[in-house]
Amino acid sequence: MAGWRVAERVVRAKGAEPGEDRVVVVEDGGGVRCAAVIDGVTDKSGRDYGGASGGALAADSVAQTLATLPSGATVAEAVAAVSADLMELRRKWSVADNDLLAPAAVAAVVW
C-alpha cells in the first residue's frame, strides 16, 4: 500500500454512546501500512465489562493489536496476534472459550 494516503475518515455511532465501531489507519514513512474498519459485535450477554460493551472491548482489542504490529508482520502473523489478544480479553473477563456470547468483532483489513 506504499503511496496510499487517507484523505478522510470518520466513525459516527447511531446513538449518543461512543459505539462499537473503530477505524484504524497505520502509517509509516512510506504511506499507509494497514487500514481497517472494525465492527464490534452487539453485546447480547448482559454482562458488565466495567461500563463498556463486549463489542466495544473486542473492537478496541483488534484496533490496538493492528496498530502495534511490527512493520514486517505478515497477514498470518496479524491474524494470530488478533486471535491471541481476543483470547486474552476473554481470560481477563473470565469468559469461557466456547461462550457464544463472548466479546467479538469483525474487521475488514487492507494489509
Side-chain angles (χ1 to χ4, degrees), residues 20 41-50 52-57 93-96 99-104:
E20 298 173 327
V41 175
T42 301
D43 193 330
K44 305 256 191 241
S45 72
R47 295 184 186 112
D48 178 17
Y49 294 105
S53 70
L57 288 176
W93 291 97
S94 301
V95 177
D99 188 333
L100 297 178
L101 298 177

Side-chain angles (χ1 to χ4, degrees), residues 50-78:
S53 70
L57 288 176
D60 286 341
S61 175
V62 173
Q64 180 66 25
T65 302
L66 291 174
T68 58
L69 285 171
S71 63
T74 66
V75 172
E77 291 168 335

Side-chain angles (χ1 to χ4, degrees), residues 11-22 51-53 56:
V11 176
R12 186 171 295 133
K14 289 180 236 172
E17 306 272 333
E20 298 173 327
D21 302 334
R22 307 291 182 264
S53 70

Side-chain angles (χ1 to χ4, degrees), residues 81-104:
V82 166
S83 297
D85 288 347
L86 286 172
M87 289 304 294
E88 182 58 34
L89 177 68
R90 287 178 173 213
R91 282 188 209 92
K92 175 182 176 182
W93 291 97
S94 301
V95 177
D97 289 349
N98 62 349
D99 188 333
L100 297 178
L101 298 177

